[in-house]
Amino acid sequence: MKKKLLTAAESINQALKLSMQKDKNLICYGLGATDPAKIFNTTQNLLEKFGKERVFDVPTSENALTGIGIGACIGGLRVVMSHQRLDFALLSFDQIINNAAKWSYMFGGNSNPVSITIRMVIGKGWGQGPTHAQSLQSLFAHIPGLKVVMPSSPSDAKGLLISSIFDPDPVIFLEHRWLHGLKEKVNQNFYKTPLKKCKKIFSGKDITIVTMSNMTVEMKKIIKFLKIKKINCELIDLRTISPIDYNTIVKSVKKTGKLLIVDTSHKTLSISSQISSFISENNFEFLKMGPQIIGLPDYPVPTSHSLTKYYYPNSIKIINKILKMTNKKVKINRKLFENKVHDKPGEWFTGAF
């Protein structure tokens, strides 16, 4: 199995290329698909390789271009489209909720499936502010008929995107903007990563931590630090937040008796509150304490550098929560976790968001 060091953006680009080679009926379009930025470099060279009939830019009309994609699927094509930012896709809710999500159910499967994958960028960073940095995955996860996917690594970005593309159901594919520059050795072959299965990243007996997307990346650093301090956390990356793989979570909670969910979104009525509710309702006897949640406060995302510093949960806050839940005391070297440029992945980062 040949592997190559790739960014997540390059992995997504590779997934699109391999999928378009495999299925001649797959088209790829969206705002910025063929412009110089190539949707954060994820659609690089697709136009040159597959031509303008299969890869193309579109007018800024989100509801219309989503409806065109749904119609194309019903007509026998397979579609990957991009709204770039989740915030823009809010204008297409009528098509996503009333058409894409319900089509197969309304017609009893007696029609071509709406095999559409809708890519959106989410997450904090670089002063994106209240209309460009929202992580509203819970809105989509609430709708029956939609699958919602959130990769946290380059390998998963590739495998999950390929699985999404070849899934018969409509899939909302959410890419955190900090994920695009993340590097990892990635299998160069065509492969699928299951959409309905969590990934256990670390095993541990003290506490179960469930998270998603970029928070998984941040939690890895925290858990490695805590392991040195003899605190063993079990880390579960959701990957697919609709449907949720409860079996993996339940198995872990039965072992640890403690559950912390770290969300990228607002705490109220979130994916994390849903998981907390499910575990409390169905597995209460295994809990040593009530499930805990760390998420965003219930007000819009700020733009200014000074406000975002206190808006997003930082590593110190998460560590203190874990210490409290495990009844441990550890001296924290704040220099390990302090980030002078908290609104971007590191000082090396120059864009684009």
Side-chain angles (χ1 to χ4, degrees):
M1 181 175 64
K2 185 180 178 182
K3 288 191 174 185
K4 184 179 178 181
L5 188 66
L6 298 178
T7 64
E10 291 168 335
S11 295
I12 290 167
N13 180 250
Q14 196 175 80
L16 292 170
K17 286 180 182 177
L18 292 172
S19 298
M20 294 188 79
Q21 287 171 348
K22 196 171 189 68
D23 188 347
K24 305 301 181 185
N25 288 320
L26 173 61
I27 61 173
C28 176
Y29 69 88
L31 194 66
T34 62
D35 74 9
K38 309 288 186 180
I39 310 180
F40 311 104
N41 292 320
T42 60
T43 57
Q44 198 76 244
N45 298 319
L46 295 184
L47 173 63
E48 292 79 1
K49 188 171 182 63
F50 299 104
K52 62 182 181 181
E53 291 187 355
R54 295 183 66 192
V55 182
F56 47 91
D57 210 321
V58 292
T60 309
S61 181
E62 288 79 6
N63 207 47
L65 68 93
T66 306
I68 288 168
I70 294 167
C73 290
I74 295 168
L77 297 181
R78 199 181 297 276
V79 174
V80 178
M81 62 160 292
S82 173
H83 285 297
Q84 289 220 24
R85 288 161 172 80
L86 176 147
D87 318 75
F88 304 163
L90 300 180
L91 295 166
S92 63
F93 259 32
D94 177 42
Q95 292 291 352
I96 292 173
I97 295 172
N98 286 325
N99 291 323
K102 296 178 174 64
W103 188 268
S104 180
Y105 175 81
M106 289 193 300
F107 292 93
N110 295 313
S111 168
N112 285 326
V114 180
S115 187
I116 186 170
T117 300
I118 304 177
R119 296 176 53 213
M120 307 173 194
V121 172
I122 62 167
K124 62 184 178 179
W126 230 8
Q128 293 290 307
T131 60
H132 285 69
Q134 300 175 92
S135 294
L136 303 177
Q137 58 267 21
S138 300
L139 291 179
F140 297 102
H142 184 72
I143 307 303
L146 294 180
K147 289 186 172 77
V148 185
V149 176
M150 298 180 75
S152 67
S153 69
S155 292
D156 274 358
K158 178 179 175 179
L160 289 170
L161 181 55
I162 291 174
S163 291
S164 299
I165 291 169
F166 289 94
D167 193 278
D169 295 321
V171 178
I172 306 299
F173 194 85
L174 302 176
E175 303 162 20
H176 197 287
R177 54 174 46 88
W178 286 23
L179 177 67
H180 287 136
L182 194 65
K183 292 183 178 180
E184 184 184 39
K185 286 190 176 181
V186 178
N187 181 349
Q188 295 301 284
N189 298 327
F190 179 96
Y191 66 89
K192 295 181 180 180
T193 300
L195 294 184
K196 300 179 182 180
K197 188 68 178 172
C198 294
K199 181 179 182 180
K200 186 167 74 173
I201 297 176
F202 293 117
S203 293
K205 58 181 176 56
D206 294 327
I207 185 172
T208 298
I209 300 174
V210 176
T211 187
M212 65 205 77
S213 189
N214 186 63
M215 287 312 302
T216 300
V217 179
E218 297 189 21
M219 283 307 309
K220 287 179 182 179
K221 303 173 188 175
I222 292 170
I223 291 175
K224 287 177 181 177
F225 165 76
L226 290 173
K227 189 172 184 180
I228 296 171
K229 305 297 182 180
K230 309 299 181 185
I231 301 172
N232 296 302
C233 307
E234 186 138 299
L235 179 62
I236 295 173
D237 178 27
L238 283 175
R239 285 176 162 173
T240 305
I241 65 161
S242 182
I244 295 172
D245 173 16
Y246 287 114
N247 290 335
T248 299
I249 300 171
V250 169
K251 186 177 179 181
S252 179
V253 170
K254 285 181 178 180
K255 178 173 65 173
T256 67
K258 298 178 181 180
L259 173 63
L260 173 64
I261 309 113
V262 186
D263 207 331
T264 62
S265 188
H266 306 286
K267 180 177 175 179
T268 302
L269 301 175
S270 61
I271 297 301
S272 49
S273 60
Q274 165 60 28
I275 293 171
S276 174
S277 173
F278 180 90
I279 296 299
S280 298
E281 184 177 354
N282 297 286
N283 299 275
F284 183 77
E285 67 272 26
F286 300 107
L287 292 171
K288 298 175 183 176
M289 64 187 304
Q292 301 291 301
I293 297 171
I294 292 178
L296 303 186
D298 290 328
Y299 51 85
V301 178
T303 300
S304 74
H305 188 275
S306 58
L307 289 178
T308 54
K309 184 176 181 180
Y310 301 101
Y311 182 82
Y312 294 100
N314 59 35
S315 297
I316 302 298
K317 179 180 179 179
I318 296 170
I319 291 172
N320 283 330
K321 173 69 79 171
I322 294 170
L323 293 177
K324 184 176 180 180
M325 291 180 70
T326 56
N327 196 28
K328 305 279 188 179
K329 291 184 178 181
V330 167
K331 186 176 181 180
I332 304 170
N333 183 354
R334 291 179 173 267
K335 291 183 179 179
L336 291 175
F337 300 102
E338 287 177 349
N339 187 357
K340 294 178 182 178
V341 284
H342 67 270
D343 61 344
K344 57 183 182 179
E347 294 185 16
W348 53 269
F349 186 82
T350 58
F353 272 150

